[in-house]
Amino acid sequence: MENKSLYELGKLAQRGNEMAMLEIIERKKKMIKRYSYGDEDRYQFIILKLIEGIRNFKF
């Protein structure tokens, strides 16, 4: 899945593909860590909101 765009991964993740969801999280891991400021709870919250956002986004 390394060569797919975020748009394609988002569409796959919305249809229930867990590997696509993990790939999106992996690609955004640096940004998530930066904005969690070292707080593990905030890190998990951002990931949760990312998953919710992908599920609710209209592709």
Side-chain angles (χ1 to χ4, degrees):
M1 288 203 190
E2 197 66 35
N3 57 357
K4 293 190 184 276
S5 69
L6 280 176
Y7 176 80
E8 292 169 337
L9 288 171
K11 286 176 70 173
L12 290 171
Q14 205 171 42
R15 289 189 220 128
N17 188 332
E18 292 179 10
M19 293 305 292
M21 186 69 74
L22 289 174
E23 180 67 28
I24 293 170
I25 292 169
E26 186 65 32
R27 287 188 186 186
K28 296 297 178 183
K29 187 177 263 185
K30 284 183 182 178
M31 185 178 71
I32 294 169
K33 281 186 179 181
R34 183 176 354 149
Y35 288 107
S36 66
Y37 303 109
D39 184 10
E40 183 66 28
D41 290 333
R42 188 176 289 166
Y43 180 79
Q44 293 297 322
F45 181 76
I46 292 171
I47 290 176
L48 178 66
K49 289 301 177 180
L50 176 64
I51 292 170
E52 287 177 5
I54 290 169
R55 287 184 181 160
N56 294 327
F57 190 75
K58 304 275 190 238
F59 285 98

